[in-house]
Amino acid sequence: MKKIAFVIAAAGLMSLAACNKTNQAAAVDNAGDNAAAALDNQGDQLSAAADNSSNAMAANTLDNAADAAHNAADNVSSMADNKAAAIDNSAK
């Protein structure tokens, strides 16, 4: 639940930060946010599956996959932010 609240708060802050962006930069940022949200959702589903697993090895594997999905979401978001910033900087 904390992760969902964090994602919602981050999306709200990112929407405020997008106010001064060019249309192209905002589109890149939005696409990155959408991809990151999808990866976070996948990570949450994997984590829930791990919690429901009675097999310890399977649960550990699912937890590792969930962590990887969350890390990928962070990376996608960072890359999109960097790309959007580069677009904005080249437009100035």
Side-chain angles (χ1 to χ4, degrees):
M1 192 65 174
K2 290 180 185 178
K3 291 178 186 177
I4 293 172
F6 176 74
V7 170
I8 291 171
L13 291 174
M14 286 183 207
S15 67
L16 291 175
C19 293
N20 296 328
K21 293 184 180 184
T22 64
N23 288 342
Q24 186 180 11
V28 168
D29 207 21
N30 287 339
D33 290 344
N34 290 340
L39 286 166
D40 268 330
N41 185 33
Q42 183 181 26
D44 291 342
Q45 291 175 356
L46 288 166
S47 183
D51 291 343
N52 291 330
S53 178
S54 60
N55 183 329
M57 286 179 53
N60 189 34
T61 300
L62 288 167
D63 275 333
N64 289 340
D67 289 342
H70 288 299
N71 289 339
D74 292 340
N75 291 337
V76 165
S77 182
S78 294
M79 288 177 7
D81 288 343
N82 291 342
K83 179 69 174 176
I87 291 169
D88 278 340
N89 289 337
S90 68
K92 292 180 181 178

